[in-house]
Amino acid sequence: MRRVVPLEAPARIVSELTSRGYNAEREAVTRLAAVEDPAAALERVLEEIPDDALVVRTDHVEAALSTTDGDAPSRSGSGSVAGDASTTDPDASADVATGIDPAAAGDSPSAESPPSVSTGTGAGTGAESVGRSPVETEGSPSANRSSDPAQRSLEIVGDMTGQSTGTGEYDDFVSVFRDRLDRLGAKLRGRVNHRPATAIQGMAGGSEVAMVGLVNDIRSTASGHWLIELEDATGTFPWLVMKDREYADLVEELLCDEVLAMEGTLADDSGIAFVDSMHFPDVPRTHEPSTAERHVQAALISDVHVGSQEFMADAWNAFADWLHTPEAQHVEYLLLAGDMVEGVGVYPDQDEELDIVDIYEQYEAFSEHLKKIPGDIEVVMIPGNHDAVRLAEPQPGFDEELREIMSAHDPQIVSNPSMVTLEGVSVLMYHGVSLDEVIAELPEEKASYDDPHKAMYHLLKKRHVAPQFGGHTRLAPEEKDYLIIDEVPDIFHTGHVHKLGFGKYHDVLAINSGCWQAQTDFQKSVNIDPDAGFAPIVDLDTLDVTVRKFS
Ligand code: D5M
Ligand code: FE
Ligand code: ZN
């Protein structure tokens, strides 16, 4: 079933209102967009709105529309082009129901959204009250907005912003790896009869042994077997995986610095053990995801890259417009998993493709784009490798100056990674730099750019978002390892690789969102074909995913 909604570019109505210092309720914008002459109606609303109002509410619009002398001045430029947003299914995984549900989205009146970098929205930007008051929908011609804020809940766990204690000293590396071994080891110690590395050396040849440790080194031997050195708090011990054993296949999944357990048989001289089985911290098969108690949805996106010449403003505007339509009425949360802006000096020669060269101006432009999103959607953001925070992970949330710039939705700005619980559904948000590493190290069929969610499965299995230290992923040494996946999330959300993919691993929904940036020169040179302009929408009551296309 397809409902055609008269779209008068809600994003443009929002822009107009914010440029005059107002925020607006989503329903208010929807109503304005639906009338014959939205420009005139908007002028009337602003004439009649109380002087102290910061937010244009539905009742303001209703009051203005009900006084029917229609001689308000009319502005020009309200062209509307019906676009078509089709649904795609990047992964026909049987575990995930993909709603086939064509959307009428995409009013993109003009290619350029104004490159306005001013935050001149006056009083409206404090946003505490943006659309947070209950919306009355009686007699609504368009939508029944489901945004009763009382029904919402959003909790953050594991935000390390402001908690950083690392000084970058050697001792901090010792602490972080000790913490990793302790906490991930705890998930394994009950499952094997483990001994410390130094004790194993003293046991009789031929004994059955087990050890819990960090992978220190992986080497192939001249005869094609694998030698894996495990390290624990007492020392190291070498384990040999014979090439024809069933576990040999698992060796190609291993990353340095991950924690696992091995069981095997000691050689006669007790200098090495032959592996009989390997155990990963993993997600227990008994894991049952939680779901929300009502029908409510979250849009999971990332990699907006505002400031890049390849930022797709049209696609973004189409997305923002769609969020103002009745079809999107249940979307009450927007999660942004990093790379809000293109940044400056992130990659060599990046400056040749910058549209905005000043980092703060990039955030101001991003903020203007974010304002087109309905004001009554709860926004959560973590940083990525293009953002203006430290590159080493965990990355703290944005500093005060940047928070000020992006304050319009009163967003939750938290660290990368962080866990956010939406109405009982926990979402682990991580930008995803380690995915490059997983994809580079593992064989194609286990992890590839075309199936980014499969690379995510390995992070879940290792219960760590960035196991390998010293490659792509820069690790900030801290007293504690913030990158451990301590609690199993219901949803794991990453971005970074600019490819869309989702699927389930032991009942955890893994989603890698695409991006809002067309192919860059670098990506062309290495044949990365980004999935740009898609928004995966998750039903929090069922964990079903619908992908909407806006490009
Ligand atoms: O990176 C998007 C994807 O592209 C991610 O998989 C890394 C890769 N990428 C992009 N540019 C480069 C350069 N210059 N070197 C190496 N890898 C790159 P994002 O960081 O989100 O832009
Ligand atoms: Fe990115
Ligand atoms: Zn990135």
Side-chain angles (χ1 to χ4, degrees):
M1 252 218 346
R2 181 175 190 129
R3 188 146 47 135
V4 178
V5 186
L7 253 188
E8 201 44 68
R12 290 202 307 153
I13 293 173
V14 175
S15 283
E16 184 63 25
L17 287 170
T18 50
S19 74
R20 302 196 196 190
Y22 292 97
N23 279 305
E25 276 181 3
R26 172 156 46 162
E27 175 67 5
V29 174
T30 307
R31 297 286 178 91
L32 276 173
V35 305
E36 206 168 294
D37 186 349
L42 185 143
E43 296 302 337
R44 178 151 293 280
V45 170
L46 296 186
E47 270 165 34
E48 293 185 7
I49 197 167
D51 286 344
D52 59 348
L54 303 177
V55 177
V56 175
R57 290 205 319 268
T58 316
D59 49 307
H60 298 138
V61 175
E62 262 165 10
L65 294 181
S66 65
T67 51
T68 49
D69 61 314
D71 58 356
S74 161
R75 287 182 303 116
S76 59
S78 53
S80 106
V81 184
D84 200 326
S86 59
T87 304
T88 61
D89 177 9
D91 178 14
S93 158
D95 301 322
V96 181
T98 304
I100 304 296
D101 187 4
D107 180 5
S108 338
S110 74
E112 295 88 46
S113 62
S116 156
V117 291
S118 113
T119 47
T121 53
T125 47
E128 245 305 286
S129 60
V130 181
R132 302 287 157 94
S133 49
V135 176
E136 279 162 37
T137 50
E138 262 172 78
S140 163
S142 50
N144 275 317
R145 292 289 176 219
S146 56
S147 45
D148 173 3
Q151 291 186 286
R152 295 182 180 176
S153 81
L154 191 160
E155 286 160 39
I156 305 283
V157 188
D159 175 21
M160 55 71 66
T161 309
Q163 309 287 309
S164 178
T165 55
T167 54
E169 300 293 321
Y170 176 76
D171 280 357
D172 293 324
F173 284 100
V174 176
S175 307
V176 78
F177 283 113
R178 184 156 295 165
D179 186 54
R180 180 181 303 187
L181 183 60
D182 280 352
R183 286 161 58 211
L184 287 181
K187 300 186 191 300
L188 294 160
R189 288 188 192 104
R191 289 157 52 186
V192 295
N193 187 17
H194 64 98
R195 291 282 174 272
T198 46
I200 292 174
Q201 291 156 10
M203 291 168 72
S207 309
E208 296 291 302
V209 289
M211 177 177 168
V212 172
L214 233 107
V215 174
N216 209 21
D217 192 30
I218 308 165
R219 251 174 300 162
S220 60
T221 69
S223 39
H225 306 302
W226 296 96
L227 195 63
I228 295 151
E229 191 174 73
L230 286 192
E231 177 171 1
D232 68 13
T234 68
T236 63
F237 195 80
W239 293 78
L240 193 76
V241 179
M242 308 293 283
K243 63 181 172 198
D244 44 5
R245 294 297 304 261
E246 55 192 297
Y247 303 103
D249 185 45
L250 289 177
V251 174
E252 57 190 20
E253 288 180 14
L254 297 184
L255 293 178
C256 280
D257 307 317
E258 71 172 288
V259 173
L260 49 65
M262 288 189 177
E263 284 179 308
T265 314
L266 264 185
D268 289 344
D269 67 357
S270 303
I272 198 168
F274 301 100
V275 175
D276 293 322
S277 64
M278 286 190 222
H279 306 265
F280 297 87
D282 222 323
V283 174
R285 293 230 170 238
T286 51
H287 169 71
E288 279 185 31
S290 306
T291 50
E293 280 173 10
R294 62 181 182 123
H295 181 53
V296 58
Q297 297 177 313
L300 274 51
I301 64 166
S302 66
D303 298 276
V304 191
H305 290 266
V306 172
S308 158
Q309 286 169 10
E310 284 83 18
F311 166 60
M312 296 166 64
D314 283 357
W316 181 268
N317 289 339
F319 172 50
D321 282 349
W322 175 73
L323 287 172
H324 286 275
T325 68
E327 213 166 23
Q329 65 175 309
H330 297 293
V331 180
E332 296 188 33
Y333 301 94
L334 174 70
L335 306 188
L336 277 150
D339 288 358
M340 311 302 143
V341 300
E342 175 62 11
V344 178
V346 180
Y347 291 123
D349 299 329
Q350 184 205 21
D351 48 328
E352 288 163 24
E353 291 183 71
L354 285 183
D355 185 34
I356 304 173
V357 296
D358 181 88
I359 185 79
Y360 289 99
E361 287 181 14
Q362 290 184 1
Y363 280 100
E364 277 159 8
F366 168 73
S367 168
E368 293 306 311
H369 287 293
L370 196 59
K371 281 178 193 165
K372 297 172 190 163
I373 301 293
D376 56 359
I377 288 185
E378 308 285 340
V379 176
V380 184
M381 297 182 211
I382 62 168
N385 58 312
H386 284 252
D387 285 299
V389 302
R390 80 172 180 202
L391 198 50
E393 298 175 9
Q395 297 179 285
F398 300 115
D399 67 17
E400 283 311 320
E401 195 171 354
L402 295 175
R403 279 170 201 257
E404 195 57 42
I405 294 173
M406 296 182 278
S407 62
H409 285 75
D410 195 16
Q412 296 280 343
I413 291 181
V414 293
S415 61
N416 169 39
S418 282
M419 182 99 110
V420 43
T421 303
L422 309 173
E423 304 191 22
V425 179
S426 57
V427 187
L428 173 61
M429 296 176 71
Y430 168 62
H431 178 60
V433 169
S434 69
L435 295 174
D436 282 330
E437 202 118 47
V438 175
I439 290 167
E441 300 279 340
L442 270 56
E444 172 86 22
E445 67 279 9
K446 291 192 174 181
S448 66
Y449 285 108
D450 285 336
D451 291 319
H453 51 290
K454 292 189 183 161
M456 298 171 75
Y457 296 169
H458 291 278
L459 301 178
L460 289 167
K461 182 170 178 178
K462 300 173 195 311
R463 296 288 289 269
H464 199 282
V465 298
Q468 187 156 297
F469 171 67
H472 291 263
T473 323
R474 288 172 222 203
L475 175 73
E478 297 280 353
E479 235 167 84
K480 179 172 173 266
D481 189 348
Y482 291 97
L483 306 178
I484 289 176
I485 305 176
D486 228 337
E487 300 292 322
V488 176
D490 301 316
I491 302 175
F492 183 23
H493 175 204
T494 60
H496 181 63
V497 296
H498 294 204
K499 296 294 274 185
L500 177 69
F502 59 89
K504 281 191 179 171
Y505 177 74
H506 297 193
D507 256 345
V508 177
L509 173 61
I511 300 188
N512 195 84
S513 33
C515 61
W516 301 85
Q517 182 186 38
Q519 192 181 45
T520 63
D521 284 350
F522 169 83
Q523 289 164 351
K524 200 176 286 174
S525 75
V526 294
N527 252 331
I528 297 178
D529 184 16
D531 292 323
F534 295 88
I537 312 288
V538 184
D539 289 356
L540 296 176
D541 49 338
T542 58
L543 303 190
D544 288 346
V545 179
T546 310
V547 174
R548 291 189 177 268
K549 185 174 189 295
F550 297 100
S551 53

